[in-house]
Amino acid sequence: MSGPHVIRGSVSLPEAELMWRFSRSSGPGGQHVNTSDSQVELRFDLAATDALPPVWKERALERLAGRLVGGVVTVRASEHRSQWRNREAAAVRLAALLAEATAPPPKQRRPTKIPRGINERRLREKKQRADTKRGRSGRDWG
């Protein structure tokens, strides 16, 4: 693996807590595909980990609830022919998934009042436009 996969800041995926499983990829590939276990399944026990701060862990468990099976999040990668590149892809995907799940919630939008001048100008322009269109009707031409 090319170094630790950082989730955010100084927090990264601990290599000891990652569980790897390899199997044969589906799809075309010739004779080589029958002998190589290039598909990678990466599992991370989110419920039992101590690598994440408690607040992040709670947030991730809540946001990934539909994806977890017994507190474990699973990522699969099989787009590359090489097992090594699939391992890299799975680890990067898991780090991105956890980074998104542990991100702080966006700030609440404070509703603002539209300034009176802007509203008056909009109504004035609207009235002008209506007068212009009303002037186009051919009823005054006699």
Side-chain angles (χ1 to χ4, degrees):
M1 300 299 298
S2 62
H5 291 281
V6 177
I7 296 173
R8 195 169 57 253
S10 62
V11 180
S12 60
L13 287 173
E15 192 63 43
E17 293 185 25
L18 299 178
M19 296 168 277
W20 300 93
R21 205 172 91 195
F22 309 103
S23 58
R24 293 189 182 140
S25 292
S26 62
Q31 295 166 342
H32 175 71
V33 79
N34 299 327
T35 58
S36 63
D37 289 345
S38 60
Q39 179 174 291
V40 173
E41 186 178 287
L42 175 57
R43 298 165 50 107
F44 180 68
D45 195 348
L46 188 58
T49 187
D50 290 328
L52 299 176
V55 178
W56 287 21
K57 186 173 163 181
E58 190 177 308
R59 210 180 283 155
L61 285 169
E62 186 181 314
R63 290 185 184 165
L64 296 174
R67 229 191 132 131
L68 297 175
V69 177
V72 177
V73 65
T74 305
V75 174
R76 200 176 267 133
S78 63
E79 59 266 14
H80 302 290
R81 285 185 64 176
S82 133
Q83 185 189 98
W84 186 256
R85 287 178 65 192
N86 280 333
R87 283 179 68 137
E88 285 287 320
V92 166
R93 207 175 295 160
L94 180 63
L97 181 73
L98 289 175
E100 191 178 319
T102 58
K107 285 188 176 178
Q108 286 289 321
R109 181 189 169 276
R110 255 185 42 222
T112 55
K113 192 176 176 184
I114 297 172
R116 190 173 52 175
I118 289 176
N119 210 20
E120 287 173 357
R121 187 177 69 202
R122 180 183 65 84
L123 292 172
R124 192 170 53 248
E125 288 172 358
K126 191 171 174 161
K127 197 171 286 287
Q128 268 182 338
R129 183 86 176 133
D131 290 341
T132 304
K133 288 188 170 191
R134 200 176 300 115
R136 289 181 187 155
S137 66
R139 62 182 165 185
D140 293 346
W141 288 13

